[in-house]
Amino acid sequence: MTDRANHPGGHGRAPEAGRPDRVRNVALVGHSGAGKTTLTEALLAATGVVQRAGKVEDGTTVSDFDDVEVRQQRSVNLALAPFEYGDVKVNLIDTPGYADFVGDLRAGLRAADAALFVVSAVDGVDGLTRMLWEECAAVSMPRAVVVTKVDQQRGDFDDTLLHLQDAFGEGVLPCYFPVSDGDGLTGLIGLLTQRCLDYSTGERVECEPDAAYLDRIAEQRASLIEGIIQESEDESLMERYIGGEEIDVKALIEDLEKAVARGSFYPVLATSVPHGQQPGPVIGMAELLEVVTEAFPSPLEHSCPEVAPVAGGPPRRIECDPDGPLVAEVVKTVSDPYVGRISMVRVFSGTLRPDTTVHVSGHGLTDRGHEDHDVDERVGALSSPLGKTQRTVTECRAGDVCAVAKLNRAETGDTLSDPANPLVMAPWTMPDPLLPVAIRARSKADEDKLGQALGRLVAEDPTLRLENNAETRQLVLWCMGEAHADVLVDRLASRYGVEVERVDLRVPLRETFGGRAEGLGRHVKQSGGHGQYGICHIEVEPLPSGEGFEFMDRIVGGVVPRQFIPSVEKGVRQQMERGVAAGYPLVDIRVTLRDGKAHSVDSSDMAFQAAGALALKDAASKVPVLLLEPVDEVSVLIADEYMGAVMSDLTSRRGRVLGTEALAPGGRTVIRAEVPQLEITRYAIDLRSMSQGTGSFHRSFLRYEPLPSHLADKVAAEEKVD
């Protein structure tokens, strides 16, 4: 890979891509604390975009500019950091590393053509990194690995490399390894060139490696060459290599770059970026930039998602052609209370220009509060974001990423296309939010502003689902986890000035009769003038679970006039909705109207409605009323090593394990169980803790079952209906 240390800087201007083949869209992926943001700062400094690298602990980094990120000292948003290296524009997409913000991470992968996995030499490979690697493998996304923090006391590059190969396979091979002088890291040794790159003076100086490293170079170089040759399209290389021929380094580098671009070879690099009070040189930026610009594919080499006509029709592929039909996707939306809505857009085909009209289409997320829409909108100014700074650009061509202002209806995941030929892209997969958090406004003023603020948050974040539960009368945010919920509540206060507080989540229970009973409803009032008169006798009996409600008319002799029989049923239904014991809806009963009395003048529809309700309450006072709880069918995907702990935990939650299914390969198992909803309101947090972030689950409503008596008594005591 060529040395391009003398590259042009990027001071004060936005880099613009002239052609798609000169663009690299790269997502930084890795667990929280691996050093992605610090690495971004080092790359921006190395390419002249910033004069001095910012620090996470000081809140001065380019990509972590949100108030929440500065306070928490971790990334919670997708951020774009473009720079130029040589004649290539790199759109570096810094993604959050915490599992709660996987929505932004997947959006970053959607916008990228390659993924750079950042792994800490101190912490190694965690479960989330393994899962993300598998996701990239499923879509054949090219990958490379950069090992950070190799200069720290507990940082071990060799041990981390072994863990990487164990986790990701033999195709993960180092191109360099770090060297030190005993006091700290001094540089790298290139395995193909067999040259030492000494950074001890602050500048990269090429020299001969120390003799002590020659055996290690020979061993690791042989493994690297064999790995490259196995992926080479030149089938004669292996025979020549086995025959003892020295393969030209330039040819090996070309084959390596092609294999990386195809997604079949994964180079490992080492870097060191001083942080805090840790002294030392910045090491490995030039080598990393060479891999990113020369080995990672351009948008022309990475296939575009499928599109289909909005009006309907078969899906088809599009080409990355600046002169083709416009197809772009909103990968991130930010609603600023002062600036308005800003959309980060990846252009897959065509050219996006300011002050033009585009068609905005969004479909498939109505269950999360995102309405389906097809609307034409006028594009505002285009800019190239650098953290919170927006730098104006004249156009955004196919393969590039930009920010668009004033798209008031566009939401994350929407497609922008030509109004004359509106298209919609196949959506990317978003995980289901499974942690319900009930909130309420702290004041009337907050309540007035809450709806609009939540609408903007939903537009930004497709992993958030908003539920206004009419039954429990609670506003529920369905989140990815506790950290996600904390950020949303914080953002409501800091960005929109809306203060909310969390309240205990109410699970919608049901009531039913525990046996057969008779009830008398007598509504007789006379206060002068026209009175109210309605009397009815009913019989109530329980039905099997899920049968609902039946009303039977057994009136003989017209003791209740025909016009008032529907009134009795209506009154019974109204009382069923209000409940008869703890205020929850009454279900699965049959009510039979047996007898009653009417008055020729004072009987009315309202009188018999009241009598029907009183009769149901009277019957309920004579038999036990059972509380029913909702039970969910739960499927848990877990690594085999955690299966015992998860099954034991499900049992402790009053769950019934129905069976398991081993998934091959990967050492994972699906556990299927039936679990009461009362026991899994915080299961998203607990499962993550049990499985070290590797477990996931899906839940769906199954049926209602009787609540155990000790829990039913507690609920009835707390919410007894007067």
Side-chain angles (χ1 to χ4, degrees):
M1 291 172 228
T2 55
D3 180 5
R4 284 189 269 173
N6 297 319
H7 55 273
H11 300 290
R13 66 178 179 86
E16 295 194 42
R19 308 193 313 268
D21 64 328
R22 308 320 297 163
V23 177
R24 302 293 184 271
N25 297 307
V26 181
L28 277 184
V29 177
H31 62 80
S32 183
K36 298 185 298 299
T37 302
T38 300
L39 182 64
T40 299
E41 289 296 310
L43 289 169
L44 292 175
T47 52
V49 177
V50 296
Q51 294 290 337
R52 181 180 179 184
K55 296 181 179 180
V56 172
E57 54 268 28
D58 295 339
T60 56
T61 63
V62 168
S63 57
D64 284 358
F65 58 87
D66 189 283
D67 290 342
V68 176
E69 294 175 313
V70 172
R71 285 196 299 272
Q72 298 185 3
Q73 295 190 7
R74 67 176 175 187
S75 301
V76 301
N77 295 312
L78 183 74
L80 184 65
F83 58 81
E84 287 177 311
Y85 188 69
D87 61 348
V88 175
K89 177 187 178 182
V90 178
N91 288 314
L92 194 64
I93 304 168
D94 187 11
T95 66
Y98 199 67
D100 281 19
F101 309 108
V102 68
D104 269 31
L105 188 148
R106 290 189 180 179
L109 291 177
R110 176 71 160 208
D113 300 306
L116 184 60
F117 277 74
V118 182
V119 177
S120 164
V122 175
D123 302 317
V125 182
D126 72 340
L128 178 63
T129 305
R130 290 173 183 260
M131 292 173 63
L132 292 173
W133 187 274
E134 292 174 5
E135 285 192 29
C136 290
V139 295
S140 301
M141 177 169 281
R143 284 149 279 165
V145 182
V146 56
V147 179
T148 60
K149 303 183 181 180
V150 292
D151 56 325
Q152 294 194 17
Q153 186 174 359
R154 294 188 297 114
D156 190 326
F157 178 81
D158 294 334
D159 186 59
T160 303
L161 179 61
L162 290 175
H163 282 96
L164 287 168
Q165 292 173 336
D166 178 64
F168 306 140
E170 296 179 354
V172 178
L173 290 169
C175 295
Y176 304 87
F177 67 82
V179 294
S180 63
D181 60 2
D183 295 328
L185 210 62
T186 59
L188 304 169
I189 291 180
L191 292 175
L192 291 180
T193 61
Q194 303 181 78
R195 301 288 288 174
C196 179
L197 305 169
D198 188 358
Y199 283 86
S200 58
T201 62
E203 298 290 334
R204 185 171 81 161
V205 178
E206 189 173 323
C207 58
E208 291 289 335
D210 191 285
Y213 292 111
L214 294 180
D215 289 343
R216 180 178 177 184
I217 292 172
E219 179 183 352
Q220 294 196 5
R221 186 174 191 269
S223 298
L224 176 59
I225 291 175
E226 289 174 8
I228 294 171
I229 290 175
Q230 286 179 1
E231 298 298 333
S232 175
E233 296 176 343
D234 185 351
E235 298 179 358
S236 68
L237 273 184
M238 181 61 76
E239 294 181 6
R240 290 159 52 194
Y241 178 71
I242 294 175
E245 180 180 337
E246 184 68 25
I247 308 299
D248 180 56
V249 171
K250 184 178 180 180
L252 289 172
I253 291 175
E254 289 177 355
D255 280 338
L256 183 150
E257 292 171 352
K258 291 177 182 177
V260 172
R262 288 197 307 270
S264 59
F265 186 84
Y266 319 106
V268 180
L269 301 97
T271 62
S272 172
V273 180
H275 65 285
Q277 302 301 316
Q278 186 87 15
V282 177
I283 295 174
M285 294 305 110
E287 292 75 23
L288 178 56
L289 287 166
E290 290 167 7
V291 169
V292 167
T293 55
E294 298 186 25
F296 277 166
S298 73
L300 295 174
E301 301 171 272
H302 194 241
S303 61
C304 298
E306 289 186 336
V307 299
V310 170
R316 60 182 175 85
R317 290 283 180 184
I318 55 174
E319 299 296 328
C320 181
D321 180 4
D323 298 321
L326 176 65
V327 179
E329 188 171 39
V330 179
V331 294
K332 176 69 177 176
T333 306
V334 177
S335 297
D336 188 284
Y338 304 106
V339 179
R341 187 171 294 186
I342 298 175
S343 305
M344 185 187 297
V345 172
R346 162 73 191 265
V347 180
F348 288 95
S349 173
T351 300
L352 187 64
R353 296 181 174 88
D355 299 320
T356 57
T357 300
V358 298
H359 184 81
V360 181
S361 56
H363 302 272
L365 290 174
T366 52
D367 62 322
R368 301 190 186 185
H370 300 254
E371 61 179 7
D372 285 353
H373 55 270
D374 286 295
V375 62
D376 289 348
E377 286 200 81
R378 191 171 184 83
V379 173
L382 301 186
S383 59
S384 176
L386 179 64
K388 61 182 176 182
T389 304
Q390 302 291 334
R391 301 169 298 174
T392 302
V393 295
T394 57
E395 63 181 16
C396 186
R397 298 166 69 84
D400 208 352
V401 180
C402 70
V404 182
K406 298 182 180 179
L407 287 178
N408 297 322
R409 292 293 302 277
E411 300 182 353
T412 302
D414 283 1
T415 303
L416 311 182
S417 58
D418 186 343
N421 182 27
L423 301 169
V424 62
M425 300 193 79
W428 70 82
T429 303
M430 279 293 178
D432 293 326
L434 294 169
L435 177 67
V437 176
I439 62 169
R440 67 183 175 199
R442 286 190 176 174
S443 67
K444 182 65 170 65
D446 292 320
E447 188 174 340
D448 293 339
K449 297 183 292 184
L450 181 58
Q452 185 179 18
L454 286 174
R456 290 178 175 176
L457 289 182
V458 168
E460 293 180 21
D461 188 354
T463 63
L464 168 64
R465 178 160 64 89
L466 181 63
E467 177 189 6
N468 200 339
N469 194 310
E471 188 173 326
T472 63
R473 297 180 295 279
Q474 285 190 319
L475 188 62
V476 181
L477 303 180
W478 285 85
C479 309
M480 296 302 301
E482 194 68 32
H484 189 203
D486 289 343
V487 166
L488 292 171
V489 172
D490 187 303
R491 194 159 283 161
L492 284 171
S494 61
R495 185 183 294 178
Y496 302 109
V498 180
E499 297 287 342
V500 299
E501 57 187 7
R502 298 192 192 189
V503 295
D504 291 338
L505 182 74
R506 296 187 65 196
V507 173
L509 305 181
R510 296 286 186 268
E511 300 173 359
T512 193
F513 273 53
R516 179 184 171 281
E518 295 184 355
L520 168 65
R522 189 174 188 275
H523 183 73
V524 178
K525 291 187 178 181
Q526 188 70 46
S527 57
H530 191 72
Q532 299 181 51
Y533 192 99
I535 299 175
C536 62
H537 294 265
I538 63 171
E539 179 182 275
V540 184
E541 54 188 317
L543 293 175
S545 177
E547 290 293 317
F549 170 66
E550 292 182 15
F551 184 82
M552 307 289 291
D553 171 20
R554 292 289 184 266
I555 292 297
V556 178
V559 291
V560 176
R562 305 304 304 171
Q563 69 267 30
F564 295 137
I565 291 176
S567 303
V568 175
E569 180 180 357
K570 186 175 181 181
V572 169
R573 287 183 179 274
Q574 289 174 345
Q575 188 61 50
M576 287 176 65
E577 291 177 4
R578 295 190 294 266
V580 293
Y584 294 103
L586 186 67
V587 297
D588 298 333
I589 59 171
R590 177 187 291 122
V591 173
T592 304
L593 179 60
R594 295 287 187 187
D595 200 359
K597 292 183 180 180
H599 190 278
S600 60
V601 175
D602 293 340
S603 289
S604 65
D605 170 63
M606 294 302 298
F608 273 99
Q609 282 188 44
L614 291 170
L616 186 64
K617 293 181 70 174
D618 181 57
S621 67
K622 299 174 182 177
V623 293
V625 175
L626 305 179
L627 281 182
L628 304 176
E629 62 177 338
V631 176
D632 281 356
E633 185 175 30
V634 178
S635 297
V636 185
L637 177 61
I638 198 73
D640 290 348
E641 58 191 293
Y642 304 114
M643 188 169 67
V646 170
M647 292 181 69
S648 176
D649 177 75
L650 289 171
T651 302
S652 72
R653 297 172 186 268
R654 299 189 286 121
R656 292 185 292 274
V657 176
L658 303 179
T660 62
E661 178 184 351
L663 299 182
R668 293 190 175 189
T669 297
V670 175
I671 303 173
R672 292 185 173 83
E674 296 176 357
V675 188
Q677 282 187 16
L678 284 168
E679 304 291 344
I680 56 171
T681 56
R682 295 181 61 82
Y683 192 59
I685 299 171
D686 299 335
L687 178 62
R688 184 175 298 163
S689 176
M690 279 185 288
S691 64
Q692 298 185 11
T694 62
S696 61
F697 76 105
H698 174 75
R699 56 186 284 189
S700 58
F701 173 73
L702 186 62
R703 61 176 175 271
Y704 277 91
E705 290 185 353
L707 189 66
S709 58
H710 67 286
L711 295 177
D713 293 342
K714 180 181 177 181
V715 171
E718 292 175 350
E719 304 186 44
K720 187 174 179 60
V721 175
D722 293 331

